[in-house]
Amino acid sequence: MKITNFAVKNYQFTLIMFVLFAVVGLLTLFTMPRSEDPTTHPPQYVITVIYPGTSPKDMEEQVVKPIENKIYGLENIEKILTSVEDGVAVIQPKFKYGVDVDNKYQEISTEINALKNSELPKDIYLIKTEKVASSDVKIIQVALVSNAASAKELRDKADLLKTALEKITDLKEVKYTGVPEQEIRIDMQLDKLAQLRIPLNLVVGSLQSEAADIPGGSVNLDTKVFNVKTSGKFKNVEDVANTVIYNANGKIIYLKDVAEVSYKDGTINHITRLNGHRCVLVTAAMKDNVNISKVKEEYMPVLEAFQKGLPENIKMIKNFDQADMVAQRLGHLGFDFALAIVLVVITLLPLGFRASLIVMISIPLSLALGLIAMNMLGYSLNQLSIVGLVVALGLLVDDSIVVVENIERWLREGYSIKDAVLKGTRQIGNAVVGCTATLVIAFLPLAFLPDAAGEFLRSLPMAVMTSVLASMLVALTLVPFLGSRILKPHAHSGGNYFLQKLQQFLSYSYRSIMPIALKWPKVTVGISIALSVFAFALFPLAGFKLFPTSEKPMFLINIKLPLQANIPESDRVTKLVEQELKSHKEIVYYTSNVGKGNPQIYYNVHQQDIKPDFGQIFVQLGDDTGPKVKQELIKTLRKKIIDFPHARIEVKDFEQGTPIEANIVVRVFGDNQDTLRSLSFKVEEILRKHPGTFFVNNELNSYKSDVKVSIDKEKARTLGVLTSDVDMVIRMAVAGVNVGDYIDDRGDSRNVIITLPREKFSDLNVLKGLYVNNIQGTPIQVDQIATIGFETSPTAINHFNKSRFAKVTSLTKDHVYANDILKDIVPQLDRLKLPPGYYYKLSGEAESEGDALGGNFLSVILLSGFLFIGVLLLQFKNFKGIIIVLSIIPLGILGGVIALLLTGNPMSLVSIIGFIGLSGIQVKNSLLLVDFTNQLRVEGHSLDEAIHIAGETRFLPVVLTSITAICGLIPIALNPNPLIAPLAIVLIGGLISSTILSRIVTPVMYRLIPPQIEIEEDTEDNEK
């Protein structure tokens, strides 16, 4: 081949280029972005609307529908999922993959801002739009713990730490939670307002006017420009208290005359504790494309310096640090990598020291080239890309082994070093290119997996493809060059001791089998077909789960209180769960969050927004805790707290892959909420009866009661009272109204809230003694024109693509897979008599599988299949050769399935990757055998001679490459991470079965359907 001749003849250039690649590859290894998981940026967004005191039905009408209508009108929208609860609506639009994520974010933000100023209620507390990205994960969570310090002291210290961490450029989203913000509270005395006949709207308007911060602009004075400063925002309590709210007949009324103005803590809606002790959590996320270990070097000095300055009554505990996890995980994979190299070196002994040295030089250079390509394509060094490199390690030596072994064979036959290098490489060159092409094409569909699962996994196949392509380049250039300089002619034609023994073993193993197989070819093929059918029959026994649970030593406990439970009640129950956790020594930290979820610490579990009847405990075990210990603890806790009398408690492990709310989710669609509720009961009953389900949840199981203020509109109109004024007074009394903000002594903006005197939490007493002014300014008691009662309303309203639905969810028990349960319950769901216009759809794992394996993925599989066949046609020029080569694939599947069953792993997306990659490896091995048989026939050997010689000659490199691949994969197969181990298990099982059986089946298939051989005119250079 020309590239080989060039590399050998211009050896100085070849040497300097590969030294350059080695240096750049080494630099890339240390400078590449490094993280635990791949960085993903799906075109998904979360719009959260917080409107305290608003029922789900009112939220749906006033907030959700206008937003959904706007977002649904945007281009490339795929789906919108909406969840509406008391005072909170979460709208999650998802766009088609391929759109510009940042542009879509700007579009959504523009539409939401336009709605704020037109259709949405003016007194909404908060609307925020967020991009969904894996980089939102908090890489550090620090607890400032104190049972004695005041809320202000804890808040001030947390704010100081936040400010210090914000100065680190590679950190983002630095926040503290668990302590209410300070605010200026205006406790209005409505009786005094009534006496003075001052309308409440006038007070609110005056405060909002005074709080407005309008820049004055600038003026020219002689040759200079001066900025004009206006009154600006409120500075302190005195500023607010001295606001003039009324001036009539020369009499000035200040706010302090009709209200008590003071600094107070805001309403408590999130309580945090670490190991049962009161604390404030300070968290920070990391920006994209940075090295987490370098970031740790920046924030650790800040934390250490801050800790030294803390008073004795406050302790700082760094309870979560993802950098430690990354170092531990990547270190474990680094050890696996080193072990794989050692095992590969041992398998190279039959090649001899010099040949093995060449192969060992080619390994780091191939990986260096692969790393350079990965870095240029924008991929980081994470657990999946490293697994890809370890998998590639077992494959990239194949090309070098095949080339070196062929050169060695020529040397053993007495050829000169130059002839052996050039002719040996030329003889095998086309087969090496074909093998690499088939391997790359086999992994190609995985690089185009759709949706979030594809983006998450993409770095794995890309690492394999770049490394294998690099290994082909190295095998055809550097290996021949090194061979011409390092290899020597052999004194013994049989090779070294290890090679002789391996050849003897291989010949002995097949001495009695091959003649029988070739004598009875149809029987042999029949047996192989039977084995193939058996392999596919075993698949259902393995079960299917798209992504496994996480092996990380941590999990969550979700505490769901009875309907409408308040923060104090949620806190009481959370403390009871904490008491149970104290008794388990395996637990190092447990972080309790009441009224809100823990800050996001896992890439696919987002923080639960404010919810009074919710609590969450983030449980962390020791770093060296294995998955089995964690699973046993989860089982123990589930048994102890599954029948907890005061709440519904869910012990939930983290799941890998795309986020799902539960393993099984059944959505029932329709318009009428009452009908949906009755249908959801039937679905719930079906799920509860199945022995494989637990934690079955139906949001519509019970309705909640709301306090309803019914205004007698005729009476109000007669008395000249506007309905909006009544609503404003009630809103102020219950939730308070934000009338502006002030700048505190640390320069931060804080709220100014107008409300009525009340305790820490509002109760029904706040609705007593309310006054509202009519049009003439006369105070009217609200009791005169309104009555207070109760009404039922749904706990939650859900929309999917603007259609209402009710959902019933369930988790699955240990070793029970959602797909197996769905096989049982789907027929029962189909038999339900649903009214016209009502239907059900499956979500959870079923929807996730559809997103990951449907649509474009099937198109890519078909495209890859045709490319696969196209490459083989270029190699063999006929379809018979293709049939022979592909006939071995089912026999590899047999070994892969058996390996999964023996290790107790289900079929998964990662297992599918293993089977797809396995097909490429098998075809490569079979291709080497068929290609050499064709060459021998071209040289004039008879069919039987060619089959015999090719089998004896080519089976050695096939065995060597398979053994090196298996040894390289063993550390990954033994890795406790269930996300990556099945990939290696499938490859090892498949390689064992296909290597053993291909030695029989491929020659027999060749014997049955020998391809047509085209004799070229000039064959004098066609070598053995």
Side-chain angles (χ1 to χ4, degrees):
M1 299 182 79
K2 289 182 180 178
I3 190 170
T4 304
N5 291 338
F6 178 85
V8 174
K9 290 176 181 176
N10 299 278
Y11 67 91
Q12 297 98 332
F13 176 78
T14 305
L15 183 64
I16 199 68
M17 287 307 296
F18 279 101
V19 169
L20 171 65
F21 290 144
V23 172
V24 174
L26 195 63
L27 289 173
T28 303
L29 176 64
F30 292 108
T31 58
M32 269 182 85
R34 196 167 300 191
S35 59
E36 185 168 26
D37 297 299
T39 301
T40 58
H41 294 92
Q44 289 176 251
Y45 308 87
V46 178
I47 303 165
T48 306
V49 184
I50 299 177
Y51 194 10
T54 312
S55 69
K57 196 172 180 181
D58 289 340
M59 286 288 285
E60 181 186 40
E61 290 298 325
Q62 298 176 30
V63 176
V64 169
K65 286 185 177 179
I67 293 176
E68 283 185 340
N69 289 334
K70 278 289 184 186
I71 302 300
Y72 213 67
L74 297 177
E75 291 194 8
N76 294 312
I77 188 77
E78 187 175 296
K79 56 187 176 186
I80 298 180
L81 180 65
T82 303
S83 174
V84 189
E85 294 181 354
D86 263 340
V88 179
V90 179
I91 301 135
Q92 301 177 63
K94 180 182 177 184
F95 293 82
K96 293 174 183 174
Y97 258 78
V99 302
D100 189 300
V101 174
D102 293 322
N103 283 350
K104 280 296 170 193
Y105 177 73
Q106 291 301 327
E107 282 184 46
I108 293 171
S109 300
T110 302
E111 296 293 350
I112 296 298
N113 286 331
L115 282 171
K116 273 186 193 176
N117 301 322
S118 57
E119 299 179 46
L120 297 180
K122 304 299 180 189
D123 55 343
I124 285 176
Y125 174 71
L126 173 70
I127 302 181
K128 61 178 179 179
T129 305
E130 300 169 290
K131 288 185 278 189
V132 174
S134 60
S135 59
D136 292 339
V137 173
K138 310 303 179 187
I139 64 165
I140 52 169
Q141 180 168 297
V142 177
L144 300 181
V145 183
S146 176
N147 291 322
S150 66
K152 185 179 187 309
E153 191 175 4
L154 273 175
R155 183 173 54 238
D156 288 346
K157 293 300 179 186
D159 198 32
L160 282 169
L161 179 56
K162 172 179 175 283
T163 304
L165 290 172
E166 280 176 332
K167 293 174 182 176
I168 298 172
T169 54
D170 289 330
L171 290 180
K172 66 174 186 176
E173 297 290 323
V174 184
K175 295 177 180 177
Y176 61 84
T177 53
V179 63
E181 293 291 355
Q182 189 184 59
E183 62 189 23
I184 292 180
R185 180 90 60 80
I186 304 167
D187 290 336
M188 294 300 303
Q189 295 169 341
L190 289 183
D191 53 344
K192 287 188 177 180
L193 272 186
Q195 289 170 11
L196 295 167
R197 302 171 69 91
I198 300 173
L200 178 64
N201 286 344
L202 189 64
V203 177
V204 173
S206 298
L207 287 167
Q208 288 174 335
S209 172
E210 289 297 314
D213 188 9
I214 302 170
S218 60
V219 295
N220 288 348
L221 190 61
D222 293 333
T223 58
K224 295 185 179 180
V225 174
F226 294 85
N227 290 331
V228 178
K229 288 191 175 182
T230 55
S231 55
K233 295 188 179 186
F234 290 127
K235 302 292 189 299
N236 48 42
V237 166
E238 287 72 27
D239 260 6
V240 178
N242 290 322
T243 302
V244 176
I245 59 167
Y246 194 69
N247 187 355
N249 302 321
K251 186 178 182 181
I252 296 175
I253 306 296
Y254 296 98
L255 181 63
K256 62 187 177 184
D257 297 330
V258 292
E260 183 185 328
V261 186
S262 60
Y263 290 114
K264 285 187 180 176
D265 287 340
T267 304
I268 296 173
N269 54 28
H270 185 196
I271 299 170
T272 52
R273 281 189 297 275
L274 180 68
N275 291 1
H277 300 289
R278 171 172 166 261
C279 73
V280 177
L281 298 178
V282 182
T283 57
M286 183 178 74
K287 292 178 183 175
D288 287 342
N289 301 319
V290 293
N291 190 329
I292 193 169
S293 56
K294 292 285 174 61
V295 179
K296 183 177 181 178
E297 291 174 8
E298 294 180 54
Y299 66 68
M300 279 308 295
V302 173
L303 295 179
E304 288 165 4
F306 178 79
Q307 189 170 20
K308 290 175 184 175
L310 283 174
E312 288 185 5
N313 63 339
I314 300 177
K315 282 179 64 180
M316 189 188 86
I317 299 173
K318 181 167 64 73
N319 64 311
F320 178 79
D321 190 343
Q322 199 185 66
D324 292 339
M325 287 185 163
V326 172
Q328 187 178 5
R329 177 169 286 191
L330 298 189
H332 198 288
L333 286 170
F335 174 77
D336 290 347
F337 195 81
L339 180 59
I341 287 181
V342 171
L343 292 172
V344 167
V345 170
I346 293 169
T347 61
L348 295 176
L349 287 174
L351 287 178
F353 172 75
R354 292 175 182 274
S356 298
L357 181 63
I358 293 172
V359 174
M360 290 312 299
I361 292 172
S362 72
I363 290 174
L365 281 170
S366 299
L367 290 172
L369 280 168
L371 273 178
I372 293 167
M374 286 278 290
N375 194 35
M376 289 174 66
L377 292 168
Y379 292 95
S380 67
L381 207 58
N382 56 69
Q383 61 162 331
L384 287 175
S385 58
I386 289 180
V387 169
L389 292 171
V390 179
V391 170
L393 173 65
L395 306 178
L396 58 84
V397 293
D398 291 9
D399 293 337
S400 297
I401 287 175
V402 168
V403 171
V404 168
E405 193 278 334
N406 210 45
I407 294 170
E408 283 278 276
R409 186 172 63 81
W410 279 70
L411 285 172
R412 289 197 298 272
E413 292 178 7
Y415 286 86
S416 67
I417 292 175
K418 185 178 179 182
D419 284 346
V421 166
L422 295 177
K423 293 182 178 181
T425 306
R426 180 183 174 186
Q427 182 189 44
I428 204 73
N430 287 335
V432 167
V433 173
C435 289
T436 304
T438 55
L439 199 57
V440 169
I441 290 168
F443 278 94
L444 198 61
L446 307 173
F448 290 94
L449 265 171
D451 216 73
E455 190 178 8
F456 178 70
L457 289 169
R458 192 160 295 134
S459 58
L460 194 157
M462 289 304 297
V464 174
M465 289 193 293
T466 54
S467 300
V468 168
L469 283 169
S471 77
M472 180 189 72
L473 179 66
V474 169
L476 296 177
T477 54
L478 184 71
V479 169
F481 154 64
L482 290 175
S484 67
R485 300 287 158 178
I486 295 175
L487 295 179
K488 289 188 175 181
H490 282 264
H492 194 289
S493 61
N496 65 18
Y497 173 80
F498 297 104
L499 182 62
Q500 291 176 46
K501 291 299 178 185
L502 181 59
Q503 284 280 30
Q504 286 173 19
F505 172 74
L506 295 176
S507 300
Y508 177 78
S509 302
Y510 290 92
R511 188 177 299 160
S512 56
I513 300 172
M514 281 310 301
I516 296 171
L518 289 169
K519 185 179 180 182
W520 303 92
K522 292 182 180 178
V523 175
T524 305
V525 172
I527 293 170
S528 71
I529 291 171
L531 288 173
S532 303
V533 172
F534 177 63
F536 286 103
L538 289 174
F539 272 110
L541 298 178
F544 186 83
K545 184 175 173 63
L546 191 68
F547 284 102
T549 53
S550 169
E551 90 294 358
K552 288 185 180 180
M554 59 189 197
F555 57 89
L556 292 174
I557 299 177
N558 294 327
I559 303 165
K560 299 176 182 179
L561 274 292
L563 209 55
Q564 295 179 272
N566 57 21
I567 288 278
E569 175 63 10
S570 300
D571 192 35
R572 185 182 72 82
V573 175
T574 303
K575 285 178 178 176
L576 293 176
V577 179
E578 288 175 349
Q579 289 299 320
E580 173 61 35
L581 297 179
K582 277 183 185 177
S583 62
H584 295 275
K585 294 179 181 177
E586 313 96 296
I587 298 173
V588 179
Y589 296 116
Y590 51 93
T591 309
S592 302
N593 294 265
V594 182
K596 200 174 183 181
N598 194 81
Q600 185 178 354
I601 35 74
Y602 196 69
Y603 68 92
N604 64 8
V605 178
H606 302 289
Q607 185 179 19
Q608 167 69 50
D609 256 311
I610 295 168
K611 198 176 181 188
D613 56 2
F614 177 82
Q616 188 176 74
I617 302 178
F618 170 41
V619 181
Q620 294 168 268
L621 311 179
D623 291 340
D624 55 349
T625 306
K628 287 184 179 178
V629 175
K630 180 178 76 165
Q631 291 303 325
E632 285 301 317
L633 177 60
I634 288 175
K635 282 183 196 175
T636 303
L637 289 173
R638 280 175 177 167
K639 285 177 185 175
K640 287 192 175 184
I641 59 182
I642 191 168
D643 296 321
F644 209 74
H646 308 288
R648 175 190 179 82
I649 299 171
E650 181 182 280
V651 184
K652 194 172 182 183
D653 202 355
F654 292 102
E655 297 267 348
Q656 304 269 17
T658 49
I660 54 172
E661 57 185 310
N663 304 103
I664 297 171
V665 180
V666 182
R667 294 173 177 166
V668 184
F669 289 83
D671 293 328
N672 186 279
Q673 194 77 5
D674 292 330
T675 308
L676 285 177
R677 188 185 182 207
S678 64
L679 292 172
S680 72
F681 290 155
K682 295 178 182 178
V683 174
E684 182 184 358
E685 186 181 3
I686 291 171
L687 284 175
R688 283 193 189 281
K689 284 182 178 178
H690 197 285
T693 62
F694 77 108
F695 285 137
V696 179
N697 185 43
N698 179 6
E699 286 182 339
L700 300 185
N701 220 329
S702 57
Y703 273 10
K704 67 185 184 68
S705 297
D706 286 333
V707 176
K708 175 69 175 175
V709 179
S710 301
I711 300 171
D712 186 333
K713 293 188 178 178
E714 287 187 12
K715 197 171 183 181
R717 199 174 295 117
T718 303
L719 293 171
V721 176
L722 298 176
T723 306
S724 60
D725 288 345
V726 179
D727 291 342
M728 168 68 84
V729 169
I730 292 169
R731 174 81 185 177
M732 183 196 70
V734 176
V737 176
N738 186 3
V739 291
D741 51 26
Y742 72 100
I743 305 300
D744 68 3
D745 53 4
R746 292 189 50 75
D748 293 325
S749 180
R750 307 289 184 204
N751 291 332
V752 178
I753 303 293
I754 183 169
T755 184
L756 295 185
R758 55 182 164 85
E759 299 300 321
K760 191 180 290 185
F761 298 99
S762 299
D763 56 26
L764 275 176
N765 290 326
V766 300
L767 297 176
K768 294 178 181 177
L770 297 181
Y771 291 89
V772 61
N773 294 76
N774 65 6
I775 297 171
Q776 290 79 31
T778 305
I780 307 292
Q781 199 159 352
V782 172
D783 293 349
Q784 287 182 253
I785 55 174
T787 56
I788 296 171
F790 290 89
E791 70 172 17
T792 58
S793 64
T795 56
I797 297 174
N798 299 300
H799 289 187
F800 181 80
N801 289 348
K802 297 167 68 176
S803 299
R804 264 191 187 182
F805 71 88
K807 66 179 175 185
V808 184
T809 64
S810 171
L811 298 183
T812 58
K813 291 181 180 176
D814 292 326
H815 308 299
V816 179
Y817 301 116
N819 276 5
D820 297 331
I821 294 174
L822 290 175
K823 287 175 189 174
D824 298 332
I825 67 167
V826 165
Q828 298 177 57
L829 293 172
D830 290 337
R831 286 195 294 270
L832 286 176
K833 292 180 181 178
L834 301 178
Y838 289 78
Y839 57 95
Y840 82 88
K841 282 185 178 179
L842 298 175
S843 184
E845 285 190 21
E847 185 181 38
S848 183
E849 288 169 22
D851 290 342
L853 301 175
N856 295 336
F857 184 55
L858 296 176
S859 305
V860 175
I861 287 280
L862 282 172
L863 175 63
S864 297
F866 281 107
L867 285 173
F868 211 82
I869 293 169
V871 169
L872 294 176
L873 273 174
L874 286 174
Q875 191 76 27
F876 299 121
K877 309 291 192 295
N878 58 67
F879 284 100
K880 284 184 178 179
I882 296 173
I883 294 169
I884 295 166
V885 166
L886 297 181
S887 64
I888 195 66
I889 289 178
L891 300 174
I893 290 173
L894 173 66
V897 178
I898 290 173
L900 283 178
L901 289 170
L902 290 174
T903 55
N905 285 288
M907 272 295 294
S908 62
L909 188 55
V910 176
S911 302
I912 291 170
I913 292 174
F915 281 109
I916 292 172
L918 180 63
S919 65
I921 301 168
Q922 290 174 277
V923 165
K924 180 194 68 174
N925 289 342
S926 196
L927 189 149
L928 286 172
L929 203 58
V930 174
D931 178 69
F932 191 52
T933 310
N934 288 346
Q935 287 186 38
L936 291 170
R937 288 177 65 199
V938 168
E939 292 174 9
H941 291 278
S942 67
L943 179 63
D944 288 339
E945 283 180 344
I947 290 172
H948 177 73
I949 296 169
E952 291 291 332
T953 307
R954 279 287 176 263
F955 193 54
L956 176 65
V958 167
V959 169
L960 279 176
T961 54
S962 297
I963 292 173
T964 53
I966 289 168
C967 289
L969 291 165
I970 284 173
I972 296 294
L974 298 175
N975 194 296
N977 189 344
L979 178 66
I980 61 180
L983 172 66
I985 288 166
V986 166
L987 289 173
I988 289 172
L991 280 169
I992 291 170
S993 65
S994 66
T995 303
I996 293 169
L997 296 172
S998 66
R999 177 68 175 89
I1000 301 168
V1001 175
T1002 303
V1004 168
M1005 286 292 293
Y1006 199 102
R1007 182 77 179 75
L1008 274 177
I1009 49 169
Q1012 179 120 17
I1013 298 300
E1014 295 180 11
I1015 307 293
E1016 297 178 15
E1017 291 181 12
D1018 183 15
T1019 60
E1020 63 180 276
D1021 287 331
N1022 283 340
E1023 291 86 3
K1024 299 179 178 69

